[in-house]
Amino acid sequence: MSYPVLVRGLTKTFYDESRGEIRAVDGIDFECGEGEIFGLLGANGAGKTTTLRMLSTILTPTSGSAAILNHDVVRDPEGVRKHLGFYSAGTALYPRLTARETIEFFARINQYPSSRVPERVRYLVDRFGISKYADVRVEKLSTGMKQKVSLARTVAHDPPIIIFDEPTVGLDVLNALEAQQTIKELRDEGKTIIFSTHIMSEAERLCDRIAIIHGGRILDCDTLAGLREKTGKHYLEDIFVQYAGRPAE
């Protein structure tokens, strides 16, 4: 079977003067299927973001391999970026562009067919409820509206694979729920979703499969039902603690 996302032995090391070599990601393997929300669940510092930055070609792996629709992240980074959308709550928008200009800009730089860009922008403005504010500069928008613009620009080029790295950090409950609903809708459209979080309820609600990552390693990967059966625990929080251990007091 050919997977849209295939990761084998992916490793990233850094050197710190005081601590020496640090293995932020330590030889992980996983694959993601079409129309699947694949969760990377781990505490802060577990290696989630480093993994996603390698998949999106921001960081170069130390060893191992990763491919997005058969485009290798090292040998063909342009091919990877063409088929990938990356959303993070910490990703800044250009404050002086309008919402409409932002979506158009990201569609064009990600090589969406030029003749279809205006139609795509109109569709996304309508889909994400941006119409009233489409021609307002981003710097004037509310947090919730900026979130919608960020989501729209992530999918501006209609990528088949989308990464969400801690997407609800800093959002209030209603905006977080709206973001989760959008992620579900994208999955239902057949998109492959990689979803990174440390929030257990989000992983329970959204993910078709969950990889528990701790100390740069994937400790297990299964459906929520499968993890419950393996551990005898019902709540994901208890399952996570059984694998990763309790934090030091």
Side-chain angles (χ1 to χ4, degrees):
M1 180 178 178
S2 178
Y3 290 97
V5 178
L6 185 63
V7 174
R8 291 290 180 263
L10 196 64
T11 300
K12 183 64 179 179
T13 61
F14 299 96
Y15 183 79
D16 182 86
E17 288 187 2
S18 60
R19 296 185 291 169
E21 184 181 88
I22 299 170
R23 285 183 169 260
V25 177
D26 192 6
I28 64 173
D29 301 314
F30 65 87
E31 56 281 324
C32 307
E34 185 176 341
E36 176 182 34
I37 300 178
F38 179 85
L40 279 176
L41 177 67
N44 293 332
K48 304 187 301 298
T49 294
T50 301
T51 297
L52 300 183
R53 286 178 176 172
M54 287 190 282
L55 291 181
S56 60
T57 75
I58 297 170
L59 292 176
T60 301
T62 304
S63 61
S65 65
I68 302 294
L69 287 177
N70 297 317
H71 298 276
D72 186 271
V73 298
V74 175
R75 295 192 297 270
D76 187 13
E78 184 175 342
V80 169
R81 291 191 289 270
K82 186 176 180 179
H83 295 90
L84 185 71
F86 191 105
Y87 178 94
S88 169
T91 301
L93 297 168
Y94 299 104
R96 295 183 64 81
L97 291 182
T98 66
R100 191 190 309 276
E101 289 168 343
T102 299
I103 300 167
E104 179 178 350
F105 174 75
F106 279 94
R108 293 190 184 280
I109 66 167
N110 285 295
Q111 302 177 40
Y112 193 75
S114 182
S115 63
R116 295 167 54 197
V117 167
E119 178 187 357
R120 180 68 177 168
V121 172
R122 285 193 296 271
Y123 166 74
L124 292 172
V125 164
D126 182 63
R127 173 176 180 171
F128 288 97
I130 301 170
S131 299
K132 186 177 178 181
Y133 303 95
D135 298 306
V136 176
R137 286 183 177 178
V138 166
E139 63 188 354
K140 302 291 186 181
L141 298 178
S142 66
T143 299
M145 193 56 60
K146 286 177 181 176
Q147 174 215 358
K148 291 182 179 182
V149 175
S150 288
L151 287 167
R153 68 112 182 129
T154 299
V155 299
H157 56 303
D158 199 19
I161 299 167
I162 309 170
I163 290 173
F164 289 93
D165 185 20
E166 302 276 5
T168 62
V169 169
L171 296 180
D172 61 34
V173 172
L174 293 179
N175 283 318
L177 289 173
E178 190 166 357
Q180 291 171 29
Q181 181 60 35
T182 297
I183 293 168
K184 288 180 183 178
E185 291 171 1
L186 291 167
R187 184 265 312 277
D188 293 343
E189 293 170 11
K191 308 290 188 186
T192 298
I193 309 288
I194 305 175
F195 180 81
S196 158
T197 186
H198 65 274
I199 302 172
M200 306 294 164
S201 59
E202 285 188 343
E204 286 183 330
R205 185 177 296 118
L206 290 175
C207 298
D208 299 298
R209 286 187 302 136
I210 299 168
I212 295 175
I213 184 168
H214 184 71
R217 297 181 179 181
I218 290 180
L219 305 182
D220 204 347
C221 178
D222 209 334
T223 63
L224 179 57
L227 293 171
R228 284 170 170 167
E229 184 175 351
K230 289 174 182 178
T231 62
K233 307 290 186 182
H234 179 78
Y235 295 109
L236 189 52
E237 184 176 82
D238 295 328
I239 293 170
F240 180 81
V241 168
Q242 182 154 322
Y243 278 103
R246 295 187 179 278
E249 296 292 338

